[in-house]
PDB file of all heavy atoms in Angstrom:
ATOM      1  N   ILE B 348      75.770 110.038 122.417  1.00  0.00           N
ATOM      2  CA  ILE B 348      74.753 110.675 121.568  1.00  0.00           C
ATOM      3  C   ILE B 348      74.070 109.618 120.701  1.00  0.00           C
ATOM      4  O   ILE B 348      72.850 109.594 120.553  1.00  0.00           O
ATOM      5  CB  ILE B 348      75.416 111.751 120.683  1.00  0.00           C
ATOM      6  CG1 ILE B 348      76.063 112.824 121.557  1.00  0.00           C
ATOM      7  CG2 ILE B 348      74.400 112.390 119.753  1.00  0.00           C
ATOM      8  CD1 ILE B 348      75.111 113.559 122.456  1.00  0.00           C
ATOM      9  N   LEU B 349      74.876 108.736 120.160  1.00  0.00           N
ATOM     10  CA  LEU B 349      74.331 107.638 119.363  1.00  0.00           C
ATOM     11  C   LEU B 349      73.344 106.826 120.199  1.00  0.00           C
ATOM     12  O   LEU B 349      72.259 106.464 119.750  1.00  0.00           O
ATOM     13  CB  LEU B 349      75.510 106.756 118.914  1.00  0.00           C
ATOM     14  CG  LEU B 349      75.271 105.693 117.872  1.00  0.00           C
ATOM     15  CD1 LEU B 349      74.677 106.315 116.630  1.00  0.00           C
ATOM     16  CD2 LEU B 349      76.594 105.021 117.523  1.00  0.00           C
ATOM     17  N   LEU B 350      73.726 106.565 121.451  1.00  0.00           N
ATOM     18  CA  LEU B 350      72.880 105.764 122.338  1.00  0.00           C
ATOM     19  C   LEU B 350      71.563 106.455 122.646  1.00  0.00           C
ATOM     20  O   LEU B 350      70.495 105.856 122.482  1.00  0.00           O
ATOM     21  CB  LEU B 350      73.642 105.481 123.646  1.00  0.00           C
ATOM     22  CG  LEU B 350      72.807 104.905 124.782  1.00  0.00           C
ATOM     23  CD1 LEU B 350      72.401 103.474 124.457  1.00  0.00           C
ATOM     24  CD2 LEU B 350      73.579 104.938 126.091  1.00  0.00           C
ATOM     25  N   ILE B 351      71.616 107.722 123.110  1.00  0.00           N
ATOM     26  CA  ILE B 351      70.359 108.302 123.586  1.00  0.00           C
ATOM     27  C   ILE B 351      69.442 108.727 122.450  1.00  0.00           C
ATOM     28  O   ILE B 351      68.238 108.685 122.585  1.00  0.00           O
ATOM     29  CB  ILE B 351      70.557 109.466 124.590  1.00  0.00           C
ATOM     30  CG1 ILE B 351      71.194 110.688 123.944  1.00  0.00           C
ATOM     31  CG2 ILE B 351      71.352 109.019 125.798  1.00  0.00           C
ATOM     32  CD1 ILE B 351      71.147 111.919 124.840  1.00  0.00           C
ATOM     33  N   PHE B 352      70.003 109.124 121.320  1.00  0.00           N
ATOM     34  CA  PHE B 352      69.132 109.629 120.269  1.00  0.00           C
ATOM     35  C   PHE B 352      68.827 108.625 119.157  1.00  0.00           C
ATOM     36  O   PHE B 352      67.845 108.768 118.457  1.00  0.00           O
ATOM     37  CB  PHE B 352      69.729 110.889 119.630  1.00  0.00           C
ATOM     38  CG  PHE B 352      69.668 112.102 120.511  1.00  0.00           C
ATOM     39  CD1 PHE B 352      70.819 112.689 120.982  1.00  0.00           C
ATOM     40  CD2 PHE B 352      68.442 112.645 120.880  1.00  0.00           C
ATOM     41  CE1 PHE B 352      70.764 113.813 121.803  1.00  0.00           C
ATOM     42  CE2 PHE B 352      68.380 113.764 121.702  1.00  0.00           C
ATOM     43  CZ  PHE B 352      69.538 114.342 122.162  1.00  0.00           C
ATOM     44  N   MET B 353      69.705 107.641 118.955  1.00  0.00           N
ATOM     45  CA  MET B 353      69.557 106.901 117.709  1.00  0.00           C
ATOM     46  C   MET B 353      69.577 105.376 117.765  1.00  0.00           C
ATOM     47  O   MET B 353      68.908 104.734 116.943  1.00  0.00           O
ATOM     48  CB  MET B 353      70.624 107.370 116.725  1.00  0.00           C
ATOM     49  CG  MET B 353      70.395 108.797 116.304  1.00  0.00           C
ATOM     50  SD  MET B 353      71.907 109.584 115.822  1.00  0.00           S
ATOM     51  CE  MET B 353      71.696 109.522 114.075  1.00  0.00           C
ATOM     52  N   ALA B 354      70.324 104.780 118.689  1.00  0.00           N
ATOM     53  CA  ALA B 354      70.581 103.337 118.582  1.00  0.00           C
ATOM     54  C   ALA B 354      69.295 102.509 118.527  1.00  0.00           C
ATOM     55  O   ALA B 354      69.067 101.751 117.586  1.00  0.00           O
ATOM     56  CB  ALA B 354      71.463 102.877 119.738  1.00  0.00           C
ATOM     57  N   ALA B 355      68.434 102.670 119.551  1.00  0.00           N
ATOM     58  CA  ALA B 355      67.238 101.838 119.622  1.00  0.00           C
ATOM     59  C   ALA B 355      66.262 102.176 118.501  1.00  0.00           C
ATOM     60  O   ALA B 355      65.601 101.294 117.941  1.00  0.00           O
ATOM     61  CB  ALA B 355      66.566 102.016 120.978  1.00  0.00           C
ATOM     62  N   GLN B 356      66.187 103.462 118.136  1.00  0.00           N
ATOM     63  CA  GLN B 356      65.279 103.868 117.061  1.00  0.00           C
ATOM     64  C   GLN B 356      65.702 103.235 115.744  1.00  0.00           C
ATOM     65  O   GLN B 356      64.866 102.818 114.949  1.00  0.00           O
ATOM     66  CB  GLN B 356      65.262 105.389 116.920  1.00  0.00           C
ATOM     67  CG  GLN B 356      64.500 106.116 118.010  1.00  0.00           C
ATOM     68  CD  GLN B 356      65.287 106.251 119.295  1.00  0.00           C
ATOM     69  OE1 GLN B 356      66.451 105.874 119.369  1.00  0.00           O
ATOM     70  NE2 GLN B 356      64.654 106.776 120.325  1.00  0.00           N
ATOM     71  N   PHE B 357      67.007 103.154 115.518  1.00  0.00           N
ATOM     72  CA  PHE B 357      67.477 102.509 114.302  1.00  0.00           C
ATOM     73  C   PHE B 357      67.161 101.025 114.317  1.00  0.00           C
ATOM     74  O   PHE B 357      66.793 100.443 113.300  1.00  0.00           O
ATOM     75  CB  PHE B 357      68.977 102.733 114.102  1.00  0.00           C
ATOM     76  CG  PHE B 357      69.259 103.877 113.195  1.00  0.00           C
ATOM     77  CD1 PHE B 357      69.728 105.071 113.693  1.00  0.00           C
ATOM     78  CD2 PHE B 357      69.019 103.756 111.841  1.00  0.00           C
ATOM     79  CE1 PHE B 357      69.953 106.139 112.853  1.00  0.00           C
ATOM     80  CE2 PHE B 357      69.242 104.819 110.995  1.00  0.00           C
ATOM     81  CZ  PHE B 357      69.712 106.016 111.504  1.00  0.00           C
ATOM     82  N   ARG B 358      67.288 100.422 115.483  1.00  0.00           N
ATOM     83  CA  ARG B 358      66.954  99.008 115.570  1.00  0.00           C
ATOM     84  C   ARG B 358      65.478  98.791 115.246  1.00  0.00           C
ATOM     85  O   ARG B 358      65.109  97.864 114.552  1.00  0.00           O
ATOM     86  CB  ARG B 358      67.267  98.466 116.980  1.00  0.00           C
ATOM     87  CG  ARG B 358      66.787  97.051 117.209  1.00  0.00           C
ATOM     88  CD  ARG B 358      67.452  96.078 116.235  1.00  0.00           C
ATOM     89  NE  ARG B 358      66.825  94.765 116.221  1.00  0.00           N
ATOM     90  CZ  ARG B 358      65.826  94.407 115.421  1.00  0.00           C
ATOM     91  NH1 ARG B 358      65.325  95.293 114.575  1.00  0.00           N
ATOM     92  NH2 ARG B 358      65.339  93.191 115.471  1.00  0.00           N
ATOM     93  N   ARG B 359      64.628  99.684 115.748  1.00  0.00           N
ATOM     94  CA  ARG B 359      63.199  99.549 115.480  1.00  0.00           C
ATOM     95  C   ARG B 359      62.884  99.793 114.014  1.00  0.00           C
ATOM     96  O   ARG B 359      61.971  99.195 113.463  1.00  0.00           O
ATOM     97  CB  ARG B 359      62.388 100.521 116.342  1.00  0.00           C
ATOM     98  CG  ARG B 359      62.385 100.176 117.803  1.00  0.00           C
ATOM     99  CD  ARG B 359      61.503 101.126 118.572  1.00  0.00           C
ATOM    100  NE  ARG B 359      60.091 100.883 118.331  1.00  0.00           N
ATOM    101  CZ  ARG B 359      59.350 100.021 119.015  1.00  0.00           C
ATOM    102  NH1 ARG B 359      59.904  99.299 119.959  1.00  0.00           N
ATOM    103  NH2 ARG B 359      58.077  99.874 118.735  1.00  0.00           N
TER     104      ARG B 359
END
Side-chain angles (χ1 to χ4, degrees):
Chain B
I348 299 299
L349 191 56
L350 168 70
I351 67 169
F352 288 115
M353 293 154 103
Q356 286 79 5
F357 264 106
R358 173 61 192 90
R359 291 183 73 87

